[in-house]
Amino acid sequence: MEDPMVQKHLESLQSSCGKGLETGHLQRLTNLLLVEGLTDIQQKEHDILQLEATKGLQNVSNSIPLEKLFRPLSKVSIPPRILVTIGVAGIGKSTLVKFFVYTWAKGEINKDITFVLPLTFRELNTHEKLSAERLICLALPHITEPSCILAGTARTLLILDGLDEFKTPLDFSNAVVCSDPKKEIQVDSLITNIIRGNLLQEASVWVTSRPAAASQIPGGLVDRMTEIRGLGAAEMKDFLDQMFLDNRDLSNQVLHHIRANRSLHAMCTVPGICCISGSSIGYYLKTSTHHSQETTTSPRTLSEVYSYYFKMALSSDWPEKPQETLRIEQVVANSKKVVGSLGRLAFYGLLRKKHVFYEQDMKVYGVDLSVLQSSLCSRLLLKEEVQSFTAYYFSHLTMQEFLAALYYYMAAKRALFDLFTESGVSWPKLGFLSHFRSAVQRSLQAEGRHLDIFVRFLSGLLSPQVNKLLSGWLVVKDEHNSFRSQAISFLQDCLNTNYVISSRVVNTMHCLYEIQHTEIAKTVEEAMKNESLAGMLTPVNCSALAYLLQVSDVCVKETNLSNCLTYNICKSLLSQLLFCHNLRLDNNQFKDNVMELLGSVLSAKDCQIQKLSLAENQINNKGAKALARSLMVNRSLMALDLRSNSIGPTGAKALADALKKNQVLLSLNLQHNAIKEDGASFLAEALLSNHGLVTLHLQKNAIGAHGARKVAEALKQNRSLKELILSSNLVGDNGSVALAEALKVNHTLQSLDLQSNSISSSGVTALTAALCSNKGLTSLNLRENSISKEGGPAIACALRTNSTLRKLDLAANLLCDEGGKAIALAMAENQALSSLHLQWNFIQASTATALAQALQSNGSLASLDLQENAIGDQGTAALAAALEVNTSLAQLHLQVASIGAAGAQALAEALMVNKSLQILDLRGNSVGVAGAKALANALKANRSLRRLNLQENSLGMDGAICIATALRGNHSLTYMNLQGNRIGQSGAKMISDAIRTNAPDCVVDV
């Protein structure tokens, strides 16, 4: 690298690529996403539609640092030869290339590469024919002898930036083969021969492109494909802070506005769009303070954002630029001249999918070069001037589309012939509406998607708000009124698609939003909120639903389409369901044929579904098999809920086979699916090799003791499963003993549910013996078994020894006082358990007293459930005494516990001093008026209680009023239940009013 020619070249690269490069803000570009080829949406859809469908979020992918981009992935592999980096318009592809070349030229990155040859397709467009040798000389003008590169003796990287701007599509099928580096051939053939390896075989080739154009290169020729990720939340904030360096408050307001609009937020993950949107919203926020709210509305639609941007440029109110002193008449005349000149270039360039223009193009389209000197024009059209050529391009693809729409709007009002025919020879077309229909129809019928955003902007120019913004500048005030309603009707007619919902139909919904006709979408969105979509999904409403799946805030946390879909509707929405992160399709009477459809969605590369619920449908083993096949290739789904279907043992086997390969799924719910012993055995076998599944729900499947034993054997080796639910499965004592053996060696399972499994004292003895050595289990549910009083001592023994169990549910187990007291005595020593359920165990006052004594020394128990146990006033008084000293108990459940006034009075005294209890449930007792008065006095002093349930307690009107008036000044209580106390309707209103006055933050059920 000491050759003076080489040194001169490096200095030249540093100068050209370092210009305007703010390296401190390019961290996002130093990590690229590794992707497995192009997805369907990337190959077919417009960049903006890609952003909206995916919410601006890329698929979960591995990333690769920029410095490792050209290196082999492992020690045994070779460096990739053909690399393609994709990204939507404005994401930073050219900036990435400049950054790489600059840092390489400075010697900071990839020192193993001897020569980097950076070329753009903009430059290659100026040549008809080139040889490989001349191509090298173009990139290395300071190198006189390229033989070392041609021979492959020096490692070389050829960069071809911006394939989407190349004037000639690459044709790999019909390109003439050439292996002579000195032979001049058509430039497109030269590129295909280089990529195929017929020329410059030893050189690495890095191509950057927008996604759709990248599909020209056959996937089999690409060794590594990467994608530039958009701005993350923190990066978007930093980006806007840099835009508004002198006004951080304005930056925060702009960010808040962007985040409030889901569609706009997705688009603003692209720096180019974020810059335009941020500027126009900032302009609105600054100027709106000088106007009344009646005359200004915050920009919500794409058309409004770009109209504000255009108006900002027209009024010369540009950030970091001095105000221009043009009279208003001159500005208006200049703006019309710019739109007439640049708009024509933008429109006919868009028709030809042309985004880079040269001086000959300017002459062809009649662009007045003097117009290009104006500051307004320089903000819309950028100029790249190098020695060999001068190129012009719009500041962003969407800016070209907006200007094209403006031009078409203005020209359509007076044009006599079809504007889409450049020659002007066509059947006459009279009137704006005729031209509007023509534009929409052409966008719907176009082979590509290049007219989609153009027709959105065209529709938006008919909205009242945009007319208000641009009237006096480019449009006549209120002129839209004469044809807006007819344009809306035409767009609505385009939605009657007989349940064929394509992205074109969704784009038509976007057009209606731009024109400010939102009635259809609002009706469907309201039904989504109320879960009342059933029976109203006509073709038009389906179109609205597909649109809302992209833009509605209702779908952010969960897309709930339960109880409303049919096979045909589901089929029509498939392309939109791909991008719903949390999708709920419960109770739709789906059969196996729908699972074939959903399987195709889950198998797609684009799929971003992370949670899928198909509960309470009619899925059999064939449907389960279809889902299982998709799980073999799916890389996004983390939770699958199939509860209450009929997949049976065969369906369970198919899913088990998928689990052997799939390591992404974290949660599988197969509750109530009749998988039986065989199904459990298949799943147990899968657990031996699966290292991803964390949660497995198998309740109500009749797996029996045999199935439980198989699962237990798997648990001895599996170390990923954290939660296992086996309730209502006839596990019995034999199954429990097997699971106990597994718990002795498995210390990763955290939660085990064995509710309703006919487990007696012998089964629980084995389980509790395992707990004495187990160090992982934190939750054990043994509710509704047959443990009886004989099992109490075994449980007590485990509680004295185990230090990891946090939650123990022993409800409905016939423990009686004997078993209950044994557990209570152990609780005096246990300092780990935080939740203990002893509901409905025939426990009486003596056990409650023993538990109270334990609470005086126990510092871990936070929740105690003694409901439906006749502990009476005596047991309650003992617990109350413990509450006066206990500082850990936050929840106490004493429903239906035979508590009267005396017990309530004891609890009231405790509440006067207790500072930890937050929930007290006394439903179904008989505290009466006296108890209510005592509790009312306590509420005046207590500041910890959040929820109090006094439902069905014979309070009467007097007792309820006491409670209501006691809340004056109590700001801690948030919920109160006084139902079932014979208060009457008028009394209920009076009490509600009193509580609303005394404690407005407290919700009361009366």
Side-chain angles (χ1 to χ4, degrees):
M1 280 291 186
E2 294 179 1
D3 187 309
M5 290 291 192
V6 173
Q7 195 59 40
K8 191 173 182 181
H9 175 63
L10 292 176
E11 291 170 1
S12 172
L13 289 180
Q14 288 183 48
S15 173
S16 60
C17 294
K19 195 180 299 179
L21 200 65
E22 297 181 29
T23 55
H25 304 293
L26 299 176
Q27 188 62 36
R28 174 179 60 92
L29 300 177
T30 60
N31 264 299
L32 300 174
L33 300 173
L34 274 172
V35 293
E36 298 176 4
L38 295 166
T39 63
D40 286 346
I41 193 172
Q42 287 174 327
Q43 294 182 61
K44 297 175 184 176
E45 303 295 352
H46 189 289
D47 291 11
I48 296 296
L49 271 77
Q50 291 178 39
L51 291 167
E52 288 170 335
T54 61
K55 287 83 175 172
L57 302 170
Q58 286 87 0
N59 247 331
V60 178
S61 306
N62 294 322
S63 62
I64 185 169
L66 182 60
E67 65 268 17
K68 293 183 179 179
L69 183 60
F70 308 102
R71 296 179 188 169
L73 284 178
S74 65
K75 292 180 180 179
V76 295
S77 57
I78 60 173
R81 181 173 178 271
I82 305 298
L83 305 96
V84 176
T85 295
I86 58 170
V88 296
I91 199 80
K93 298 181 293 295
S94 296
T95 305
L96 169 67
V97 168
K98 284 185 177 181
F99 177 67
F100 173 80
V101 174
Y102 176 70
T103 51
W104 173 82
K106 288 178 67 179
E108 296 175 359
I109 193 173
N110 291 99
K111 296 179 182 178
D112 55 320
I113 298 176
T114 309
F115 292 106
V116 170
L117 318 181
L119 288 168
T120 66
F121 281 97
R122 285 178 195 165
E123 184 175 0
L124 294 177
N125 282 339
T126 63
H127 300 272
E128 291 300 323
K129 288 187 174 184
L130 281 174
S131 66
E133 188 174 85
R134 273 193 65 200
L135 186 79
I136 295 169
C137 293
L138 271 179
L140 295 173
H142 306 287
I143 307 290
T144 54
E145 184 49 59
S147 56
C148 63
I149 296 173
L150 291 168
T153 54
R155 190 177 178 201
T156 302
L157 172 64
L158 171 64
I159 302 176
L160 301 171
D161 182 30
L163 174 59
D164 50 281
E165 296 177 343
F166 195 30
K167 65 181 181 181
T168 312
L170 298 182
D171 185 355
F172 283 84
S173 301
N174 302 308
V176 177
V177 175
C178 176
S179 56
D180 182 356
K182 295 183 180 293
K183 184 178 179 181
E184 294 207 348
I185 55 176
Q186 295 289 334
V187 176
D188 58 314
S189 290
L190 176 66
I191 300 302
T192 56
N193 275 285
I194 289 173
I195 291 174
R196 279 200 180 279
N198 299 324
L199 293 166
L200 304 181
Q201 298 95 328
E202 302 301 321
S204 293
V205 183
W206 183 21
V207 181
T208 69
S209 175
R210 285 170 58 200
S215 63
Q216 296 174 62
I217 304 174
L221 296 178
V222 179
D223 299 310
R224 184 172 295 168
M225 182 172 281
T226 55
E227 184 174 0
I228 299 177
R229 64 181 180 84
L231 297 170
E235 290 163 333
M236 191 181 294
K237 185 180 188 310
D238 290 343
F239 186 89
L240 292 169
D241 285 345
Q242 287 299 312
M243 283 183 63
F244 303 100
L245 269 174
D246 57 340
N247 194 336
R248 189 59 59 87
D249 286 343
L250 182 60
S251 171
N252 290 334
Q253 289 179 58
V254 170
L255 181 61
H256 176 77
H257 186 101
I258 289 171
R259 284 177 174 169
N261 186 323
R262 196 178 179 204
S263 181
L264 183 61
H265 185 255
M267 285 186 268
C268 283
T269 57
V270 177
I273 299 177
C274 192
C275 182
I276 293 170
S277 302
S279 299
S280 57
I281 294 168
Y283 171 74
Y284 156 75
L285 291 169
K286 284 192 289 186
T287 56
S288 63
T289 56
H290 307 303
H291 303 91
S292 69
Q293 288 296 319
E294 294 178 6
T295 57
T296 61
T297 306
S298 60
R300 293 166 299 167
T301 68
L302 207 56
S303 304
E304 290 169 12
V305 168
Y306 279 68
S307 295
Y308 268 111
Y309 186 89
F310 203 77
K311 186 174 182 180
M312 174 174 61
L314 290 172
S315 59
S316 304
D317 188 4
W318 198 263
E320 302 175 358
K321 296 265 182 159
Q323 291 259 347
E324 295 175 15
T325 56
L326 285 175
R327 293 204 318 267
I328 190 70
E329 294 85 356
Q330 290 175 300
V331 175
V332 171
N334 188 37
S335 66
K336 290 182 177 177
K337 194 173 182 181
V338 166
V339 171
S341 194
L342 288 191
R344 179 178 169 82
L345 179 73
F347 176 66
Y348 287 110
L350 195 62
L351 294 191
R352 296 174 60 187
K353 302 178 185 177
K354 187 178 178 71
H355 308 296
V356 180
F357 308 91
Y358 302 87
E359 289 184 339
Q360 62 267 32
D361 296 312
M362 299 298 183
K363 293 174 185 175
V364 169
Y365 290 109
V367 176
D368 185 348
L369 293 179
S370 65
V371 169
L372 301 182
Q373 308 305 315
S374 73
S375 60
L376 168 62
C377 190
S378 66
R379 293 159 186 161
L380 306 174
L381 192 73
L382 305 179
K383 181 179 181 181
E384 182 179 348
E385 205 166 9
V386 293
Q387 284 185 337
S388 57
F389 70 97
T390 300
Y392 300 89
Y393 54 97
F394 290 93
S395 56
H396 189 263
L397 170 64
T398 50
M399 189 56 68
Q400 179 178 352
E401 291 161 326
F402 179 69
L403 283 168
L406 267 177
Y407 164 78
Y408 191 88
Y409 176 87
M410 295 170 69
K413 290 183 287 185
R414 60 180 184 275
L416 298 178
F417 297 99
D418 189 354
L419 289 165
F420 282 84
T421 307
E422 287 189 62
S423 64
V425 180
S426 69
W427 289 103
K429 280 189 180 293
L430 299 176
F432 176 85
L433 281 168
S434 177
H435 288 286
F436 178 82
R437 291 191 192 98
S438 175
V440 174
Q441 285 170 339
R442 284 186 181 260
S443 76
L444 291 171
Q445 295 163 5
E447 187 177 336
R449 308 308 306 275
H450 55 292
L451 297 176
D452 284 358
I453 305 305
F454 160 75
V455 294
R456 274 201 216 176
F457 281 130
L458 184 61
S459 302
L461 290 169
L462 299 179
S463 77
Q465 179 61 15
V466 171
N467 178 270
K468 191 183 296 182
L469 279 168
L470 297 181
S471 62
W473 301 88
L474 299 171
V475 301
V476 178
K477 186 178 181 182
D478 295 332
E479 66 178 349
H480 65 288
N481 289 336
S482 57
F483 31 70
R484 179 171 176 265
S485 61
Q486 290 169 278
I488 288 170
S489 296
F490 178 71
L491 289 170
Q492 287 179 325
D493 288 342
C494 295
L495 299 177
N496 285 307
T497 55
N498 194 26
Y499 294 114
V500 179
I501 310 295
S502 66
S503 55
R504 295 179 193 271
V505 172
V506 173
N507 196 58
T508 304
M509 284 298 306
H510 277 286
C511 290
L512 285 168
Y513 177 68
E514 293 291 329
I515 210 170
Q516 291 184 10
H517 180 78
T518 58
E519 283 79 355
I520 301 170
K522 281 182 178 176
T523 300
V524 176
E525 187 173 42
E526 195 61 34
M528 287 180 74
K529 286 179 184 175
N530 300 330
E531 299 184 17
S532 57
L533 279 172
M536 65 173 290
L537 289 179
T538 62
V540 170
N541 286 346
C542 268
S543 302
L545 177 59
Y547 161 77
L548 290 167
L549 291 178
Q550 289 185 4
V551 304
S552 174
D553 290 337
V554 177
C555 303
V556 172
K557 291 183 179 178
E558 180 185 72
T559 303
N560 187 355
L561 299 178
S562 300
N563 195 32
C564 66
L565 300 186
T566 63
Y567 174 87
N568 286 332
I569 294 174
C570 185
K571 186 177 180 180
S572 72
L573 292 172
L574 287 182
S575 59
Q576 305 306 318
L577 297 181
L578 268 172
F579 306 104
C580 299
H581 289 181
N582 187 355
L583 181 59
R584 214 170 123 203
L585 302 174
D586 302 344
N587 198 22
N588 275 306
Q589 298 181 2
F590 283 163
K591 297 183 179 177
D592 294 339
N593 56 352
V594 180
M595 296 309 103
E596 295 285 350
L597 295 177
L598 292 175
S600 68
V601 171
L602 292 170
S603 301
K605 285 181 183 177
D606 312 59
C607 183
Q608 291 187 7
I609 301 173
Q610 295 176 5
K611 293 181 179 180
L612 175 60
S613 179
L614 289 163
E616 299 177 13
N617 282 291
Q618 297 173 19
I619 305 166
N620 294 314
N621 60 359
K622 287 184 180 178
K625 286 177 182 177
L627 292 172
R629 285 193 296 272
S630 68
L631 288 178
M632 295 281 194
V633 294
N634 179 277
R635 292 294 176 269
S636 67
L637 195 67
M638 292 188 286
L640 176 60
D641 187 348
L642 290 172
R643 64 194 148 86
S644 300
N645 282 285
S646 306
I647 70 167
T650 311
K653 183 181 188 305
L655 291 168
D657 290 340
L659 286 175
K660 292 175 184 177
K661 185 174 182 181
N662 182 302
Q663 302 293 329
V664 178
L665 196 71
L666 301 178
S667 175
L668 178 61
N669 189 338
L670 297 179
Q671 173 185 346
H672 199 201
N673 263 287
I675 70 169
K676 302 183 180 176
E677 293 181 358
D678 288 346
S681 299
F682 296 134
L683 289 165
E685 185 183 339
L687 289 176
L688 294 174
S689 56
N690 180 284
H691 305 296
L693 201 67
V694 174
T695 302
L696 180 59
H697 291 209
L698 295 178
Q699 59 265 52
K700 296 184 180 178
N701 269 298
I703 70 170
H706 178 72
R709 281 197 294 269
K710 290 292 185 180
V711 172
E713 287 301 312
L715 286 178
K716 289 179 181 178
Q717 296 183 44
N718 180 283
R719 292 296 178 266
S720 64
L721 202 66
K722 299 287 187 290
E723 180 183 357
L724 177 61
I725 299 183
L726 296 175
S727 57
S728 303
N729 262 307
L730 305 173
V731 167
D733 289 332
N734 288 339
S736 300
V737 170
L739 289 165
E741 289 301 310
L743 288 176
K744 291 178 180 177
V745 294
N746 181 308
H747 300 287
T748 52
L749 190 71
Q750 295 175 1
S751 178
L752 177 60
D753 189 334
L754 293 171
Q755 178 178 341
S756 301
N757 267 300
S758 302
I759 301 170
S760 70
S761 57
S762 61
V764 87
T765 299
L767 287 167
T768 50
L771 285 179
C772 291
S773 58
N774 180 280
K775 303 298 180 188
L777 205 67
T778 59
S779 175
L780 178 60
N781 184 357
L782 293 171
R783 174 184 285 253
E784 296 170 13
N785 281 290
S786 305
I787 296 172
S788 75
K789 60 185 179 182
E790 285 79 13
I795 295 169
C797 181
L799 289 175
R800 288 189 175 93
T801 310
N802 182 286
S803 61
T804 55
L805 198 67
R806 298 287 180 267
K807 183 178 179 181
L808 179 60
D809 192 336
L810 298 170
N813 264 295
L814 302 170
L815 290 174
C816 300
D817 271 336
E818 190 175 336
K821 277 193 279 190
I823 292 168
L825 291 172
M827 286 304 298
E829 300 177 38
N830 180 287
Q831 295 297 325
L833 204 68
S834 59
S835 175
L836 178 60
H837 288 255
L838 293 172
Q839 171 189 357
W840 198 21
N841 263 299
F842 298 96
I843 285 170
Q844 296 185 5
S846 58
T847 297
T849 303
L851 283 166
Q853 289 172 346
L855 284 174
Q856 295 191 20
S857 58
N858 181 292
S860 65
L861 199 67
S863 177
L864 177 60
D865 186 345
L866 291 172
Q867 62 178 302
E868 298 182 272
N869 285 296
I871 66 170
D873 288 338
Q874 183 184 346
T876 306
L879 289 169
L883 285 177
E884 293 183 15
V885 294
N886 179 281
T887 57
S888 66
L889 200 69
Q891 298 184 30
L892 181 57
H893 298 271
L894 298 174
Q895 302 98 302
V896 196
S898 304
I899 301 170
Q905 288 164 348
L907 286 170
E909 289 178 20
L911 289 175
M912 299 284 279
V913 295
N914 181 282
K915 296 180 180 178
S916 65
L917 198 68
Q918 297 178 16
I919 297 174
L920 178 58
D921 195 334
L922 295 172
R923 175 171 53 88
N925 286 292
S926 304
V927 304
V929 177
K933 287 181 179 179
L935 288 168
N937 287 330
L939 289 177
K940 294 175 183 177
N942 182 280
R943 290 296 176 267
S944 66
L945 206 63
R946 299 287 179 266
R947 298 174 68 88
L948 176 60
N949 191 343
L950 291 173
Q951 184 180 355
E952 298 170 6
N953 259 289
S954 305
L955 301 186
M957 178 67 78
D958 292 343
I961 289 175
C962 284
I963 295 290
T965 54
L967 292 183
R968 190 187 305 277
N970 184 316
H971 302 294
S972 60
L973 206 66
T974 58
Y975 175 77
M976 165 88 73
N977 192 326
L978 296 174
Q979 292 176 326
N981 278 294
R982 300 181 183 177
I983 297 168
Q985 201 166 8
S986 59
K989 183 182 184 308
M990 187 168 63
I991 289 162
S992 295
D993 291 343
I995 292 179
R996 196 175 296 113
T997 302
N998 295 327
D1001 296 328
C1002 183
V1003 176
V1004 60
D1005 288 331
V1006 184

PDB file of all heavy atoms in Angstrom, residues 51 54-59 266 269 581 608:
ATOM      1  N   LEU A  51     -43.204  -1.184   4.875  1.00  0.00           N
ATOM      2  CA  LEU A  51     -43.048  -0.591   6.203  1.00  0.00           C
ATOM      3  C   LEU A  51     -44.349  -0.666   6.994  1.00  0.00           C
ATOM      4  O   LEU A  51     -44.359  -0.990   8.178  1.00  0.00           O
ATOM      5  CB  LEU A  51     -42.598   0.864   6.086  1.00  0.00           C
ATOM      6  CG  LEU A  51     -41.181   1.113   5.572  1.00  0.00           C
ATOM      7  CD1 LEU A  51     -40.999   2.575   5.210  1.00  0.00           C
ATOM      8  CD2 LEU A  51     -40.154   0.683   6.615  1.00  0.00           C
ATOM      9  N   THR A  54     -45.209  -4.396   7.985  1.00  0.00           N
ATOM     10  CA  THR A  54     -44.309  -4.953   9.006  1.00  0.00           C
ATOM     11  C   THR A  54     -44.173  -4.044  10.219  1.00  0.00           C
ATOM     12  O   THR A  54     -43.420  -4.352  11.137  1.00  0.00           O
ATOM     13  CB  THR A  54     -42.909  -5.196   8.413  1.00  0.00           C
ATOM     14  OG1 THR A  54     -42.368  -3.948   7.961  1.00  0.00           O
ATOM     15  CG2 THR A  54     -42.970  -6.161   7.239  1.00  0.00           C
ATOM     16  N   LYS A  55     -44.908  -2.911  10.222  1.00  0.00           N
ATOM     17  CA  LYS A  55     -44.835  -1.928  11.313  1.00  0.00           C
ATOM     18  C   LYS A  55     -43.422  -1.372  11.473  1.00  0.00           C
ATOM     19  O   LYS A  55     -43.010  -0.955  12.555  1.00  0.00           O
ATOM     20  CB  LYS A  55     -45.296  -2.520  12.650  1.00  0.00           C
ATOM     21  CG  LYS A  55     -46.793  -2.746  12.757  1.00  0.00           C
ATOM     22  CD  LYS A  55     -47.211  -4.025  12.128  1.00  0.00           C
ATOM     23  CE  LYS A  55     -48.699  -4.309  12.336  1.00  0.00           C
ATOM     24  NZ  LYS A  55     -49.150  -5.473  11.551  1.00  0.00           N
ATOM     25  N   GLY A  56     -42.649  -1.393  10.390  1.00  0.00           N
ATOM     26  CA  GLY A  56     -41.285  -0.878  10.446  1.00  0.00           C
ATOM     27  C   GLY A  56     -40.316  -1.782  11.161  1.00  0.00           C
ATOM     28  O   GLY A  56     -39.164  -1.424  11.387  1.00  0.00           O
ATOM     29  N   LEU A  57     -40.769  -3.003  11.534  1.00  0.00           N
ATOM     30  CA  LEU A  57     -39.920  -3.934  12.275  1.00  0.00           C
ATOM     31  C   LEU A  57     -39.470  -5.062  11.361  1.00  0.00           C
ATOM     32  O   LEU A  57     -40.285  -5.681  10.690  1.00  0.00           O
ATOM     33  CB  LEU A  57     -40.682  -4.519  13.467  1.00  0.00           C
ATOM     34  CG  LEU A  57     -41.223  -3.506  14.477  1.00  0.00           C
ATOM     35  CD1 LEU A  57     -42.147  -4.205  15.447  1.00  0.00           C
ATOM     36  CD2 LEU A  57     -40.094  -2.820  15.208  1.00  0.00           C
ATOM     37  N   GLN A  58     -38.158  -5.319  11.333  1.00  0.00           N
ATOM     38  CA  GLN A  58     -37.671  -6.439  10.536  1.00  0.00           C
ATOM     39  C   GLN A  58     -37.932  -7.736  11.279  1.00  0.00           C
ATOM     40  O   GLN A  58     -38.133  -7.753  12.486  1.00  0.00           O
ATOM     41  CB  GLN A  58     -36.160  -6.300  10.261  1.00  0.00           C
ATOM     42  CG  GLN A  58     -35.803  -5.249   9.231  1.00  0.00           C
ATOM     43  CD  GLN A  58     -35.636  -3.864   9.833  1.00  0.00           C
ATOM     44  OE1 GLN A  58     -35.777  -3.677  11.021  1.00  0.00           O
ATOM     45  NE2 GLN A  58     -35.335  -2.892   8.988  1.00  0.00           N
ATOM     46  N   ASN A  59     -37.906  -8.831  10.533  1.00  0.00           N
ATOM     47  CA  ASN A  59     -38.022 -10.144  11.136  1.00  0.00           C
ATOM     48  C   ASN A  59     -36.887 -10.381  12.120  1.00  0.00           C
ATOM     49  O   ASN A  59     -35.804  -9.796  11.990  1.00  0.00           O
ATOM     50  CB  ASN A  59     -37.971 -11.222  10.053  1.00  0.00           C
ATOM     51  CG  ASN A  59     -39.299 -11.945   9.913  1.00  0.00           C
ATOM     52  OD1 ASN A  59     -40.048 -12.050  10.881  1.00  0.00           O
ATOM     53  ND2 ASN A  59     -39.585 -12.435   8.736  1.00  0.00           N
ATOM     54  N   ALA A 266     -44.264   3.850  11.841  1.00  0.00           N
ATOM     55  CA  ALA A 266     -43.594   2.785  11.088  1.00  0.00           C
ATOM     56  C   ALA A 266     -42.749   3.364   9.967  1.00  0.00           C
ATOM     57  O   ALA A 266     -41.604   2.935   9.744  1.00  0.00           O
ATOM     58  CB  ALA A 266     -44.631   1.818  10.525  1.00  0.00           C
ATOM     59  N   THR A 269     -39.283   5.027  10.812  1.00  0.00           N
ATOM     60  CA  THR A 269     -38.096   4.223  11.111  1.00  0.00           C
ATOM     61  C   THR A 269     -37.074   4.385  10.000  1.00  0.00           C
ATOM     62  O   THR A 269     -35.922   3.987  10.148  1.00  0.00           O
ATOM     63  CB  THR A 269     -38.452   2.729  11.269  1.00  0.00           C
ATOM     64  OG1 THR A 269     -39.091   2.265  10.074  1.00  0.00           O
ATOM     65  CG2 THR A 269     -39.385   2.515  12.450  1.00  0.00           C
ATOM     66  N   HIS A 581     -48.471  -9.683  15.508  1.00  0.00           N
ATOM     67  CA  HIS A 581     -47.574 -10.318  16.472  1.00  0.00           C
ATOM     68  C   HIS A 581     -48.306 -11.224  17.448  1.00  0.00           C
ATOM     69  O   HIS A 581     -47.825 -12.294  17.805  1.00  0.00           O
ATOM     70  CB  HIS A 581     -46.796  -9.240  17.239  1.00  0.00           C
ATOM     71  CG  HIS A 581     -45.765  -8.564  16.390  1.00  0.00           C
ATOM     72  ND1 HIS A 581     -44.925  -7.572  16.852  1.00  0.00           N
ATOM     73  CD2 HIS A 581     -45.436  -8.737  15.098  1.00  0.00           C
ATOM     74  CE1 HIS A 581     -44.133  -7.173  15.882  1.00  0.00           C
ATOM     75  NE2 HIS A 581     -44.430  -7.859  14.804  1.00  0.00           N
ATOM     76  N   GLN A 608     -44.448 -12.855  11.006  1.00  0.00           N
ATOM     77  CA  GLN A 608     -44.004 -12.230  12.249  1.00  0.00           C
ATOM     78  C   GLN A 608     -44.907 -12.600  13.429  1.00  0.00           C
ATOM     79  O   GLN A 608     -44.821 -11.993  14.491  1.00  0.00           O
ATOM     80  CB  GLN A 608     -43.962 -10.706  12.083  1.00  0.00           C
ATOM     81  CG  GLN A 608     -42.869 -10.229  11.133  1.00  0.00           C
ATOM     82  CD  GLN A 608     -42.735  -8.725  11.126  1.00  0.00           C
ATOM     83  OE1 GLN A 608     -43.356  -8.023  11.919  1.00  0.00           O
ATOM     84  NE2 GLN A 608     -41.918  -8.215  10.241  1.00  0.00           N
TER      85      GLN A 608
END
